[in-house]
Amino acid sequence: MPEPTPLRQSVERASTPTATALSRLPGWATTAAWVALLVLAAVVGGPVGWVLLTIAVAFVAWLLYLAWPYASTNAKLIRVATGLLGAALVLVRLLPR
């Protein structure tokens, strides 16, 4: 694996306390919190829903960024698709018809 960039090193260093705390939680807890954010975003709607959805997508993007170097090609494709879907959801919420 190539040497990480200074940006990646900085993000990993800043993320270590949060990632360590999350790793101590049961596996279902993080997923349940993320799903709760998505459900609240859908139910609440408006600007508050948009903010909740953005937080949920940003959380997934952060996890995807941290895991990227360790993922297989198939996992990377799925993660890119997830990121694009999340960005599309935020844009649809931000710019309704």
Side-chain angles (χ1 to χ4, degrees), residues 28-40:
W28 58 266
T30 307
T31 303
W34 183 72
V35 169
L37 274 174
L38 291 177
V39 169
L40 279 172

Side-chain angles (χ1 to χ4, degrees), residues 6-55:
L7 173 64
R8 173 164 283 287
Q9 290 174 342
S10 174
V11 170
E12 287 178 354
R13 191 172 30 259
S15 299
T16 298
T18 306
T20 302
L22 287 174
S23 71
R24 290 186 185 131
L25 295 173
W28 58 266
T30 307
T31 303
W34 183 72
V35 169
L37 274 174
L38 291 177
V39 169
L40 279 172
V43 170
V44 172
V48 174
W50 181 83
V51 169
L52 292 173
L53 182 60
T54 302
I55 291 169

Side-chain angles (χ1 to χ4, degrees), residues 47-66:
V48 174
W50 181 83
V51 169
L52 292 173
L53 182 60
T54 302
I55 291 169
V57 170
F59 176 71
V60 169
W62 171 67
L63 291 177
L64 296 178
Y65 180 77
L66 290 177

